Amino acid sequence: MTTMRANTWRKVAAVLAGGLVLGVGTTATLAAWTDEENATETFKAGTFSIVGSTNGADFSDHPTSPGAALDFTVTPTALVPGTTSYALYSVKTAAGSVSGSVQLTADPDNDTGLGKYLHYGVRTLTDPICDADTFTDATSVDIVGSGSELTVGSNQKLDLEPNGASAINYCFAVSLPTTALNEAQGTTLTGRWVFAATAE
């Protein structure tokens, strides 16, 4: 190849190379249209709380012992053998609370003093009226079997609707059996039950 042809070829190659570089540079500087979507949310934890009532109408908070005093139909401080006394306790979620469940538990110390002789049962009722008739009504539901010791709780968890939408009405029936020994006279017991609730 002659020197002239070689020089010409080098010039052409240089021009082509420059064109390639120019082409790459042009492509890199082209603007791309873009867009995006954004999403956000504010999170807040809910609250869970229950309230109780001894009459099914006036609810308030009793978070610590001794809690609310049950209102028995027969004065429980003058029990004689063969006596059964009834008391209502209603439970529901507080206003603004989320839903949950509740389980009745009994204090292990309920078997001291007069508690060694007493028996009881608990049933849930549709209406907040607790007496001998409603306790045995066909619509009542057994929670703690009649004749149980006072240290026995319920093995059932009952659903609580949110925001106090409805109440669970517990009916307690506490009895001093006719078989109670003479030693039961004059003994006392401050029985205690806990309605243990959990948010769900």
Side-chain angles (χ1 to χ4, degrees):
M1 180 181 294
T2 65
T3 301
M4 184 177 295
R5 286 185 177 180
N7 290 337
T8 301
W9 174 247
R10 281 194 293 271
K11 291 178 180 179
V12 171
V15 170
L16 290 175
L20 290 174
V21 172
L22 179 60
V24 172
T26 302
T27 302
T29 58
L30 287 177
W33 289 357
T34 62
D35 192 12
E36 64 182 21
E37 289 292 327
N38 292 275
T40 186
E41 179 59 278
T42 299
F43 295 92
K44 180 181 179 181
T47 60
F48 178 68
S49 176
I50 62 171
V51 288
S53 170
T54 59
N55 61 13
D58 302 311
F59 287 84
S60 57
D61 198 14
H62 310 91
T64 59
S65 181
L70 298 174
D71 185 16
F72 280 91
T73 54
V74 175
T75 303
T77 55
L79 295 175
V80 295
T83 302
T84 299
S85 189
Y86 301 87
L88 173 76
Y89 198 72
S90 302
V91 174
K92 67 178 182 178
T93 55
S97 173
V98 299
S99 61
S101 63
V102 61
Q103 184 173 6
L104 174 66
T105 64
D107 193 315
D109 290 337
N110 284 353
D111 66 349
T112 59
L114 183 59
K116 293 184 293 185
Y117 307 98
L118 295 172
H119 292 161
Y120 90 125
V122 183
R123 300 178 72 86
T124 57
L125 310 175
T126 302
D127 298 315
I129 301 172
C130 176
D131 55 31
D133 293 331
T134 58
F135 188 82
T136 56
D137 188 88
T139 60
S140 64
V141 178
D142 198 36
I143 298 299
V144 177
S146 295
S148 296
E149 295 180 358
L150 268 63
T151 54
V152 176
S154 173
N155 58 8
Q156 301 181 44
K157 287 186 176 182
L158 305 181
D159 293 333
L160 290 165
E161 296 184 14
N163 199 36
S166 64
I168 298 173
N169 302 305
Y170 293 89
C171 184
F172 286 72
V174 178
S175 302
L176 182 61
T178 56
T179 56
L181 299 176
N182 202 47
E183 289 82 354
Q185 293 187 66
T187 58
T188 62
L189 168 74
T190 300
R192 178 175 176 265
W193 291 268
V194 176
F195 299 83
T198 305
E200 294 181 353

